[in-house]
Amino acid sequence: MKSWFKRHWKSDLVRPVIYKTFTRFLLALTVALLWGNYAPHDAFLSSRMYAFFFLGFYFALCAWLVHMRMDGLHIPRVRLRVRRKHDPVRTYGDMSDYTDEPIRSFDDLEDDEKDFCSLLANLLCCMLYLLLSFLV
């Protein structure tokens, strides 16, 4: 398992994993809070506990599907087409740091790197929501 992780991991994948995890966590948290407001309440257990557990299970299922895609199963990707504005070319001056190097976004990654980022983001969200379901 450790060699599989080292084979896929690159240091420039940290930013896309954090962005995907944060976005998925906030969207799912919104769903869980709406579920807590509009679902009928149980006398002993909070409805947020059910929502967090369901979302943890959902992210585990998504991580399993991404892992199956990495193993060779053909599962189509869901892509939302959003037109992005082109960034203007800016030149300010010389700096000796790595500030002139472009930051790789998720769209610039290769397919296997995208799958690995999605797998890690889903696993992180799964662990967070399952932990929240036991704490609430």
Side-chain angles (χ1 to χ4, degrees):
M1 182 70 176
K2 192 173 184 180
S3 65
W4 179 85
F5 184 78
K6 283 185 178 181
R7 185 173 53 228
H8 290 288
W9 178 252
K10 295 177 186 169
S11 62
D12 57 346
L13 297 179
V14 173
R15 182 182 305 260
V17 167
I18 291 173
Y19 285 172
K20 287 187 84 58
T21 303
F22 185 71
T23 304
R24 289 178 184 191
F25 182 79
L26 285 183
L27 288 174
L29 184 64
T30 305
V31 169
L33 293 177
L34 287 173
W35 185 335
N37 277 346
Y38 297 114
H41 298 314
D42 192 6
F44 297 108
L45 297 174
S46 172
S47 63
R48 277 182 275 166
M49 185 205 63
Y50 291 122
F52 289 153
F53 184 76
F54 173 76
L55 289 171
F57 181 74
Y58 171 75
F59 282 119
L61 179 67
C62 290
W64 181 70
L65 289 174
V66 170
H67 180 67
M68 295 300 286
R69 185 184 321 143
M70 289 177 75
D71 280 345
L73 186 68
H74 180 68
I75 300 172
R77 288 184 179 85
V78 178
R79 294 184 184 178
L80 301 174
R81 307 249 178 194
V82 178
R83 292 186 183 202
R84 293 177 26 182
K85 295 180 183 177
H86 294 286
D87 294 332
V89 177
R90 295 183 180 111
T91 57
Y92 292 113
D94 294 336
M95 291 193 70
S96 62
D97 293 333
Y98 294 105
T99 57
D100 292 335
E101 290 186 12
I103 296 172
R104 290 179 62 186
S105 67
F106 186 75
D107 296 331
D108 297 337
L109 299 176
E110 296 176 12
D111 286 340
D112 57 341
E113 292 173 340
K114 287 181 184 180
D115 289 340
F116 188 69
C117 288
S118 295
L119 177 69
L120 286 181
N122 286 331
L123 287 175
L124 286 172
C125 284
C126 172
M127 288 188 295
L128 288 172
Y129 277 109
L130 288 178
L131 181 69
L132 282 175
S133 73
F134 292 126
L135 293 178
V136 172

